[in-house]
Amino acid sequence: MKQSMTLIPTLREVPADAEIKSHQLLLRAGFIRQNASGIYSFMPLGRKVLQKIEGIIREEMINAGAVELLMPALQQAELWQESGRWYTYGPELMRLKDRNEREFALGATHEEVITSLVRDEVKSYKRLPLTLYQIQTKFRDEKRPRFGLLRGREFIMKDAYSFHSSKETLDEVYEKIFQAYSNIFRRCGLNFRAVIADSGAMGGKDTHEFMVLSDVGEDTIAYSDTSDYAANIEMAPVVVKYEKDNEPEKELEKVKTENQKTIEEVSAYLNIDEKKCIKSLLFKVDETYVLVLVRGDHEVNDIKLKNLFEASTVELADAEETKKILGVSVGSIGPIHVNNVEIVADFAVEAITNGVCGANEEHFHYINVNPVRDFKVSRYADLRFIQEGDPSPDGKGKILFAKGIEVGHVFKLGTRYSETMNAMFLDENGKSQPMIMGCYGIGVSRTLAAVAEQFNDENGLVWPVNIAPFQVHVIAVNMKDEAQASLAEEIYTELQKNRFEVLLDDRQERPGVKFADSDLIGIPVRVTVGKKAADGIVEVKVRKTGEMQEIHKDELLPALTGILKNL
Amino acid sequence: MKQSMTLIPTLREVPADAEIKSHQLLLRAGFIRQNASGIYSFMPLGRKVLQKIEGIIREEMINAGAVELLMPALQQAELWQESGRWYTYGPELMRLKDRNEREFALGATHEEVITSLVRDEVKSYKRLPLTLYQIQTKFRDEKRPRFGLLRGREFIMKDAYSFHSSKETLDEVYEKIFQAYSNIFRRCGLNFRAVIADSGAMGGKDTHEFMVLSDVGEDTIAYSDTSDYAANIEMAPVVVKYEKDNEPEKELEKVKTENQKTIEEVSAYLNIDEKKCIKSLLFKVDETYVLVLVRGDHEVNDIKLKNLFEASTVELADAEETKKILGVSVGSIGPIHVNNVEIVADFAVEAITNGVCGANEEHFHYINVNPVRDFKVSRYADLRFIQEGDPSPDGKGKILFAKGIEVGHVFKLGTRYSETMNAMFLDENGKSQPMIMGCYGIGVSRTLAAVAEQFNDENGLVWPVNIAPFQVHVIAVNMKDEAQASLAEEIYTELQKNRFEVLLDDRQERPGVKFADSDLIGIPVRVTVGKKAADGIVEVKVRKTGEMQEIHKDELLPALTGILKNL
């Protein structure tokens, strides 16, 4: 493509409202433009990258046995009412009425539409399993659209749905799509992890998020420094075997503390290691109060607590509740002499000898506290958040933390939708059963932004070859120089003939502008046609490494093939 | 693709609410499903055909120098208010509010968005011309969605917009895109015409519609039986040279008629040819009344009348107005003795000798009427609709009529949007000028339906090779027969390896079901693996001609290549 014929509106300044690198650079390099808050146009270069990503997704989805279809954005309210989500989805679901006052939702996701389609067409186990996907525009009215394409209100998603007559085939398809997603993100060049995630309100069992590692990510991932293990920090079990030290138990003693409330303050004041302190927190688990103990340097993981009690809600008791139940303020709680609520503790607490805890009395703590002897715990369990340095739950290596951008999600839905929407099939015995479902999403436009976030330097974007808008950027330094203009044109034509994807900068611009734009855009290889054009010599520069070499036009083709192969 | 893994929900019955062939067959063959009135899902086979059409469009648009981008469906109301269309578009434009009560339109078309994008990024004639296109979902809340994909409320469009600093480059780009559109529809196999169209309220000058000839079309096309000439009937000029006969003028005579009002009745009653009758109609042209005369066998063409007077509106006067201005009822009007309104007439009236007209008196007509002698016409002009048999306006052949489905539209917009939305550029002299624009649309999903409408027979769809969902349909007659199942699988694999697009019917269904489904789906070539499978012999059938031959598997590849090439 010739730059004179396309629209690549580069900017020298960093746009004021773009906080993160990918947003800044995609705007500055002319890949996107904002139309409204959270709503963007993909300019020609952005559209190209999208198409590349879509192409990779299609290949891998087909390989995984999925079949493409296309569902509408306008979805009848009735379908969302059937599933119940019309009432629970909230203002993120954009709604409108047609000319006959019928209500519609703008598709935020397509569980309802696909379930109704399949329910109407598939009646027998013989037609299952079935995996369908689409690449389509989604609408979610985010409260705080931000970070450019990372959290928009109109965006492109690949969403897939699978239907099954058995859990076994769901497992198989889940595994295949898991593999396809790994391939997709790897081919996009991303540094990512498949992360064990919380199935949350959806009620599914297995679920993984594909997280691109990035400081601007909104989720924290706990991953192994040695193996593939990765999980949302909420989801990672702690597998530490705590050992009691050999110290003999000393006599329990109540000591005066001034205004020390936090573990840090108490530990410092008493000059006792935080690891010897017992952090006591009063929780409201559904309708019951529970006293939860963790070690001073640990944090309670609500989800683990919730799972222990198989509860629906878990929240920290407030000051008033604490006063009412335990008779003291929040900073002075302890387990000793507490009889009116159940006490549960993290495994680490069990190993504490001669510890410290609140005395349920303002300005007093106990020292030389010993579990069993001094208080009674009903259950010990894994109740804390994993920490950096903890052993990886798979037994391989140590845990590190990273921030992640969620670009993909695979999820075993089970019968959540088939039951509410009556998507039934007849099994081998002629018995009617709800279909078992899986759903699988990729944020296509978000993936584009995640790549931009991972691949850039101080001069601009640095696209991985597989999804670069073009492979080669040919620049005629001076278009008024006949030799340069004609050699650039010749190379452009020759490369295209040999199936290279080429952008030709044929603009009447100063060389400085052309080079700066080229770096900003970030095409993997640049071919500069300059003063040695008359001798047939051009300069080839690799965007990523800055490596440069002069090459004669006759050797250009094999040279570029080699360079691109190695990138 | 294996049929066991995809979803092709064929139907034996004709769906009750599908009136036309394409709608019936696309439903029956499982290409589409309706989600709501005018809203459809493209099932796997439908999605495939869409992709094929999109691929052809992309190739031809790139060839024409257009560059792809992608604009959003959610469009800020402010943009539509700037262009004024927020107020004039009516209920077809779907509107909604976001969570902050800001108003949006769902893109029915993208003139506003593209104009605002280009206005913000392009400031100089040096960046023009520029042609941008997208393939994207559009929303129009049709009053009467019908005919399946032909008139839907959510549909896929390719829309392109060009921006220019001069009319000359607009002419050039218009011509290129005109050519691209011709290529696109030709490659889709369609029997179509590029038709001169009415520029209507848009105010543009040149405009063509690409019409697929079909009895279910809603527009009437006048086309030459010899040349490429075609126009919407409203737009076709009449180039007949009328000659006066040699009959001597007789004396004007008022005759009694009973209740004969229409030309047909008067002609029959008086036994005088309709061609001798003068049809007199009172029109309101803007705020003025005009008496319009055409020959009895002709019809007044409002658009020609409007153009003659350079008027904004033209409508037939009602009974009350007629009574007030001419003192009689509508069926008795004539030009004789009329002095209070201007009289204009079609050229054909000028040639009438001894004609008939109303007498402006109930139950009376004049006979032996002669223009000039008996009444005064201020202007003779081409004021009638063209008719079948008229000479083609380009001088080549005679006019025939056909119905057409509009699948494409090219249009010189001029400065309609750039002026209202202030899209200016600096010309060579540093002077600010509004950009000159063109717009160019293709109904992508409508094109799919138009092909289905043109290519079918009593057994189902008959896809042209270029846009067929698959090229070859391999059918294993009996999947329980080991020889058949394995040969079918072998052929499927081998053909795919050689880049054929193949659908394999590997279902456990009766042969009759498989054959009927295959005919319904309409893949160009069928390979049936049946009883002679053990001998390596299969049957190859061409869907279009029904031609059948037995071929040994070793000769299948070259045979299929040959057949597909000739289709």
Side-chain angles (χ1 to χ4, degrees):
Chain A
M1 185 181 294
K2 295 185 176 180
Q3 252 169 287
S4 62
M5 293 181 67
T6 184
L7 183 57
I8 306 175
T10 54
L11 304 170
R12 289 288 160 265
E13 305 296 321
V14 177
D17 53 348
E19 299 169 58
I20 63 168
K21 269 282 166 196
S22 59
H23 190 194
Q24 291 169 2
L25 287 172
L26 289 172
L27 285 169
R28 285 188 54 209
F31 281 64
I32 60 170
R33 279 297 179 266
Q34 183 178 298
N35 293 90
S37 170
I39 299 172
Y40 291 85
S41 286
F42 293 87
M43 305 301 280
L45 290 182
R47 184 71 188 100
K48 274 253 175 202
V49 178
L50 269 188
Q51 262 163 329
K52 293 282 181 80
I53 297 173
E54 290 169 1
I56 291 173
I57 290 175
R58 286 200 166 97
E59 282 181 25
E60 296 293 342
M61 290 307 290
I62 290 169
N63 248 343
V67 179
E68 186 168 355
L69 84 173
L70 182 63
M71 292 176 279
L74 282 174
Q75 307 183 353
Q76 292 185 96
E78 287 82 350
L79 284 179
W80 288 74
Q81 287 158 0
E82 262 190 73
S83 77
R85 291 207 294 178
W86 184 257
Y87 314 104
T88 58
Y89 210 100
E92 258 188 45
L93 187 67
M94 302 192 84
R95 299 158 209 241
L96 73 162
K97 287 181 183 169
D98 72 3
R99 65 196 299 155
N100 302 314
E101 295 292 310
R102 290 195 67 148
E103 285 185 301
F104 285 84
L106 277 185
T109 169
H110 279 68
E111 280 85 1
E112 282 80 0
V113 175
I114 193 90
T115 303
S116 85
L117 264 180
V118 172
R119 140 187 101 183
D120 292 347
E121 306 299 344
V122 175
K123 306 288 182 191
S124 157
Y125 73 96
K126 289 184 199 164
R127 292 276 166 274
L128 299 174
L130 181 63
T131 307
L132 300 164
Y133 78 98
Q134 62 176 351
I135 295 177
Q136 199 244 19
T137 301
K138 297 277 183 286
F139 303 86
R140 288 183 197 164
D141 201 357
E142 291 280 349
K143 193 168 186 183
R144 290 212 310 135
R146 63 178 188 148
F147 292 168
L149 302 181
L150 284 186
R151 187 179 287 185
R153 299 199 289 171
E154 175 173 346
F155 54 95
I156 299 166
M157 225 178 118
K158 190 287 301 172
D159 46 330
Y161 307 89
S162 69
F163 295 83
H164 307 267
S165 59
S166 74
K167 284 190 177 141
E168 289 67 37
T169 64
L170 171 60
D171 290 345
E172 283 165 27
V173 168
Y174 186 91
E175 183 52 39
K176 273 189 196 163
I177 295 193
F178 185 99
Q179 199 49 56
Y181 277 30
S182 302
N183 296 344
I184 289 164
F185 297 122
R186 187 182 39 72
R187 289 176 65 184
C188 289
L190 286 165
N191 180 14
F192 71 96
R193 292 269 175 160
V195 168
I196 299 162
D198 179 24
S199 52
M202 296 282 240
K205 229 176 77 180
D206 275 354
T207 172
H208 286 86
E209 287 165 0
F210 287 80
M211 291 279 189
V212 170
L213 304 188
S214 165
D215 290 342
V216 307
E218 297 184 335
D219 299 278
T220 302
I221 306 161
Y223 69 98
S224 163
D225 63 359
T226 312
S227 76
D228 269 351
Y229 182 86
N232 271 351
I233 49 163
E234 294 86 2
M235 297 304 296
V238 174
V239 296
V240 180
K241 294 279 162 234
Y242 306 96
E243 304 219 349
K244 251 183 146 57
D245 55 26
N246 291 321
E247 202 180 318
E249 292 189 354
K250 296 185 197 161
E251 199 178 331
L252 184 69
E253 194 180 326
K254 194 192 274 186
V255 297
K256 179 113 176 68
T257 44
E258 308 293 331
N259 287 314
Q260 292 77 20
K261 298 267 177 183
T262 68
I263 292 290
E264 205 180 8
E265 289 162 356
V266 172
S267 157
Y269 181 77
L270 300 174
N271 195 25
I272 295 176
D273 191 342
E274 286 185 11
K275 291 185 178 164
K276 290 250 179 196
C277 297
I278 297 170
K279 191 185 283 181
S280 310
L281 295 160
L282 187 65
F283 275 87
K284 195 173 176 186
V285 177
D286 287 340
E287 293 308 306
T288 315
Y289 292 96
V290 175
L291 188 61
V292 181
L293 313 180
V294 293
R295 210 169 70 182
D297 58 330
H298 292 159
E299 301 294 334
V300 175
N301 180 328
D302 304 22
I303 289 175
K304 290 179 178 178
L305 181 62
K306 200 162 128 183
N307 290 342
L308 181 69
F309 283 90
E310 293 174 359
S312 307
T313 62
V314 150
E315 49 183 341
L316 210 53
D318 61 23
E320 199 180 322
E321 290 170 312
T322 307
K323 188 87 188 171
K324 193 176 134 202
I325 304 292
L326 298 175
V328 283
S329 68
V330 172
S332 305
I333 305 176
I336 296 173
H337 304 312
V338 170
N339 303 311
N340 56 340
V341 295
E342 181 179 350
I343 302 174
V344 296
D346 182 67
F347 289 124
V349 173
E350 199 171 11
I352 292 176
T353 310
N354 300 324
V356 174
C357 70
N360 291 327
E361 189 181 339
E362 307 290 337
H363 310 302
F364 284 95
H365 276 76
Y366 282 111
I367 60 169
N368 300 333
V369 178
N370 287 290
V372 183
R373 186 192 72 183
D374 300 328
F375 58 89
K376 197 180 154 231
V377 167
S378 70
R379 281 185 279 179
Y380 286 99
D382 170 17
L383 290 176
R384 71 163 172 99
F385 275 104
I386 203 162
Q387 292 183 337
E388 282 196 294
D390 277 336
S392 175
D394 67 349
K396 297 171 192 159
K398 287 198 179 309
I399 284 299
L400 293 175
F401 283 179
K403 292 283 182 184
I405 299 165
E406 185 193 336
V407 288
H409 196 172
V410 290
F411 197 94
K412 294 185 184 173
L413 279 175
T415 55
R416 156 75 179 87
Y417 291 93
S418 47
E419 280 185 6
T420 50
M421 298 183 69
N422 202 31
M424 310 296 283
F425 70 97
L426 293 180
D427 69 11
E428 283 94 332
N429 307 314
K431 207 185 137 199
S432 185
Q433 305 262 21
M435 296 181 195
I436 301 167
M437 291 173 59
C439 73
Y440 319 88
I442 288 180
V444 181
S445 37
R446 185 183 277 183
T447 297
L448 183 155
V451 174
E453 191 65 37
Q454 273 193 351
F455 295 90
N456 63 68
D457 63 18
E458 66 280 13
N459 296 319
L461 295 160
V462 185
W463 291 101
V465 176
N466 277 346
I467 65 166
F470 294 90
Q471 297 168 328
V472 182
H473 198 177
V474 176
I475 293 182
V477 176
N478 181 359
M479 278 299 287
K480 285 177 184 155
D481 179 308
E482 180 52 39
Q484 293 186 24
S486 76
L487 180 56
E489 178 80 31
E490 181 191 326
I491 288 172
Y492 172 66
T493 310
E494 187 64 16
L495 288 178
Q496 286 195 316
K497 207 185 295 168
N498 286 276
R499 298 179 175 278
F500 287 86
E501 296 168 298
V502 193
L503 182 66
L504 171 66
D505 191 346
D506 60 342
R507 295 175 301 163
Q508 305 270 13
E509 288 281 3
R510 285 179 294 109
V513 170
K514 292 188 171 198
F515 292 133
D517 278 355
S518 179
D519 281 345
L520 196 51
I521 291 169
I523 293 168
V525 181
R526 177 204 295 173
V527 174
T528 305
V529 182
K531 287 191 176 139
K532 296 186 182 171
D535 305 326
I537 291 171
V538 298
E539 186 192 86
V540 174
K541 185 184 169 191
V542 176
R543 174 67 183 88
K544 190 168 149 192
T545 60
E547 214 180 319
M548 256 191 245
Q549 49 182 316
E550 288 192 341
I551 293 183
H552 191 273
K553 63 172 183 171
D554 296 344
E555 286 145 26
L556 189 57
L557 235 82
L560 290 178
T561 305
I563 290 169
L564 288 168
K565 207 170 164 184
N566 289 325
L567 275 177
Chain B
M1 185 182 293
K2 294 185 178 181
Q3 253 170 286
S4 62
M5 294 181 67
T6 185
L7 182 57
I8 307 175
T10 54
L11 305 170
R12 288 289 161 264
E13 304 296 320
V14 176
D17 53 348
E19 301 168 58
I20 62 169
K21 268 282 167 199
S22 59
H23 190 194
Q24 291 168 1
L25 287 172
L26 289 171
L27 285 169
R28 286 188 53 208
F31 282 63
I32 60 171
R33 279 296 178 268
Q34 183 177 297
N35 294 90
S37 169
I39 300 171
Y40 291 84
S41 285
F42 293 86
M43 305 303 279
L45 290 182
R47 184 72 188 99
K48 274 256 176 198
V49 177
L50 268 188
Q51 263 163 327
K52 293 283 182 80
I53 297 173
E54 289 169 2
I56 291 173
I57 290 175
R58 286 200 167 97
E59 282 181 24
E60 296 293 342
M61 290 307 290
I62 290 169
N63 247 344
V67 179
E68 185 168 355
L69 84 173
L70 181 63
M71 292 178 279
L74 282 173
Q75 307 183 354
Q76 292 185 96
E78 287 81 351
L79 284 179
W80 288 75
Q81 286 157 0
E82 261 189 74
S83 76
R85 292 207 293 178
W86 184 256
Y87 312 106
T88 57
Y89 210 101
E92 258 189 46
L93 187 66
M94 303 193 83
R95 299 157 209 241
L96 72 163
K97 287 180 181 169
D98 73 2
R99 65 196 296 155
N100 302 314
E101 294 291 311
R102 291 194 68 149
E103 285 184 301
F104 285 84
L106 276 185
T109 168
H110 279 68
E111 279 86 1
E112 282 80 1
V113 175
I114 194 89
T115 304
S116 85
L117 264 180
V118 172
R119 136 187 106 183
D120 292 347
E121 306 300 344
V122 175
K123 306 289 183 189
S124 158
Y125 73 95
K126 290 183 198 164
R127 292 275 166 275
L128 298 174
L130 181 62
T131 308
L132 300 164
Y133 78 97
Q134 63 176 352
I135 295 176
Q136 199 243 16
T137 301
K138 298 276 184 284
F139 303 85
R140 289 183 197 164
D141 201 355
E142 291 281 350
K143 193 168 185 182
R144 290 212 310 137
R146 61 178 191 148
F147 291 168
L149 302 180
L150 284 186
R151 187 179 286 186
R153 300 200 290 172
E154 175 174 347
F155 54 95
I156 299 166
M157 224 178 117
K158 190 285 302 170
D159 45 330
Y161 307 89
S162 69
F163 295 84
H164 306 269
S165 59
S166 74
K167 283 185 177 145
E168 289 67 37
T169 63
L170 171 59
D171 289 344
E172 283 165 29
V173 168
Y174 187 91
E175 183 52 38
K176 273 188 197 165
I177 296 193
F178 186 97
Q179 198 49 56
Y181 277 31
S182 302
N183 295 345
I184 289 164
F185 297 122
R186 187 182 39 72
R187 290 176 64 184
C188 288
L190 285 164
N191 180 14
F192 71 96
R193 293 269 175 158
V195 167
I196 299 162
D198 179 23
S199 53
M202 296 283 240
K205 227 176 75 181
D206 275 355
T207 173
H208 287 85
E209 287 166 0
F210 287 79
M211 290 281 189
V212 170
L213 304 189
S214 165
D215 289 342
V216 306
E218 298 184 334
D219 298 279
T220 301
I221 306 161
Y223 69 99
S224 163
D225 63 358
T226 313
S227 76
D228 269 350
Y229 182 85
N232 270 351
I233 48 163
E234 295 85 3
M235 296 304 295
V238 173
V239 296
V240 179
K241 293 280 162 234
Y242 305 97
E243 304 218 349
K244 251 183 145 55
D245 54 27
N246 291 323
E247 201 179 319
E249 291 189 356
K250 297 185 195 159
E251 199 177 333
L252 183 68
E253 193 180 327
K254 195 192 275 186
V255 296
K256 180 110 174 69
T257 44
E258 308 293 331
N259 288 315
Q260 291 76 22
K261 297 267 177 184
T262 67
I263 293 292
E264 207 179 6
E265 289 162 357
V266 172
S267 157
Y269 183 77
L270 299 175
N271 196 23
I272 296 176
D273 191 342
E274 285 187 11
K275 291 185 178 164
K276 290 248 180 197
C277 296
I278 297 170
K279 191 184 282 181
S280 308
L281 295 160
L282 186 66
F283 274 88
K284 195 172 176 189
V285 177
D286 288 340
E287 293 309 305
T288 314
Y289 291 96
V290 175
L291 188 61
V292 181
L293 313 180
V294 293
R295 211 168 71 182
D297 58 331
H298 292 158
E299 300 295 333
V300 175
N301 180 328
D302 304 22
I303 289 174
K304 290 179 178 175
L305 181 61
K306 200 161 130 184
N307 289 342
L308 179 70
F309 283 91
E310 292 175 1
S312 308
T313 61
V314 150
E315 48 184 342
L316 210 54
D318 61 22
E320 199 179 323
E321 289 171 313
T322 306
K323 187 88 190 170
K324 194 176 133 202
I325 304 292
L326 298 177
V328 282
S329 67
V330 173
S332 305
I333 304 176
I336 296 173
H337 304 312
V338 170
N339 303 309
N340 57 341
V341 295
E342 183 178 350
I343 302 174
V344 295
D346 182 66
F347 289 124
V349 173
E350 201 172 9
I352 291 177
T353 310
N354 301 325
V356 173
C357 71
N360 290 328
E361 191 180 338
E362 307 292 338
H363 310 302
F364 285 96
H365 276 76
Y366 282 111
I367 60 169
N368 300 332
V369 179
N370 288 291
V372 184
R373 187 191 73 181
D374 300 328
F375 59 89
K376 201 179 150 231
V377 167
S378 70
R379 281 185 280 179
Y380 285 99
D382 170 17
L383 289 177
R384 72 162 170 100
F385 275 105
I386 203 163
Q387 292 184 336
E388 282 197 293
D390 278 336
S392 175
D394 67 349
K396 296 171 193 158
K398 289 197 178 308
I399 285 298
L400 293 175
F401 283 179
K403 292 282 182 185
I405 300 166
E406 184 192 337
V407 287
H409 196 172
V410 291
F411 197 94
K412 294 184 182 173
L413 278 174
T415 55
R416 156 74 178 89
Y417 291 93
S418 48
E419 280 185 6
T420 50
M421 298 184 69
N422 202 32
M424 310 295 283
F425 70 96
L426 292 180
D427 69 11
E428 282 94 333
N429 307 315
K431 207 184 135 196
S432 185
Q433 304 262 20
M435 296 180 195
I436 301 166
M437 289 172 61
C439 73
Y440 319 89
I442 288 180
V444 181
S445 37
R446 185 183 279 184
T447 297
L448 183 155
V451 174
E453 191 65 36
Q454 273 193 351
F455 295 89
N456 63 68
D457 63 17
E458 66 280 11
N459 296 318
L461 294 160
V462 185
W463 290 102
V465 176
N466 276 346
I467 65 165
F470 294 90
Q471 298 167 328
V472 182
H473 199 177
V474 176
I475 293 182
V477 176
N478 181 0
M479 277 300 286
K480 285 176 186 154
D481 179 309
E482 180 53 37
Q484 293 186 26
S486 76
L487 181 58
E489 178 80 32
E490 181 192 327
I491 289 172
Y492 172 66
T493 309
E494 187 63 16
L495 288 178
Q496 286 195 316
K497 208 186 292 166
N498 285 278
R499 297 178 176 279
F500 287 86
E501 295 167 299
V502 192
L503 181 67
L504 171 66
D505 191 345
D506 60 341
R507 296 175 301 164
Q508 305 269 15
E509 289 282 4
R510 285 179 293 111
V513 170
K514 292 188 172 197
F515 292 133
D517 278 356
S518 180
D519 280 345
L520 195 51
I521 290 168
I523 293 169
V525 182
R526 178 205 292 174
V527 175
T528 305
V529 182
K531 287 189 179 143
K532 298 187 183 171
D535 306 325
I537 290 171
V538 298
E539 185 192 87
V540 174
K541 183 185 169 190
V542 177
R543 174 68 183 87
K544 191 168 147 190
T545 59
E547 213 180 319
M548 257 193 242
Q549 49 182 316
E550 288 193 341
I551 293 183
H552 191 271
K553 64 172 182 172
D554 295 345
E555 287 146 25
L556 189 58
L557 236 81
L560 290 177
T561 306
I563 290 169
L564 288 168
K565 208 170 163 184
N566 289 326
L567 274 177

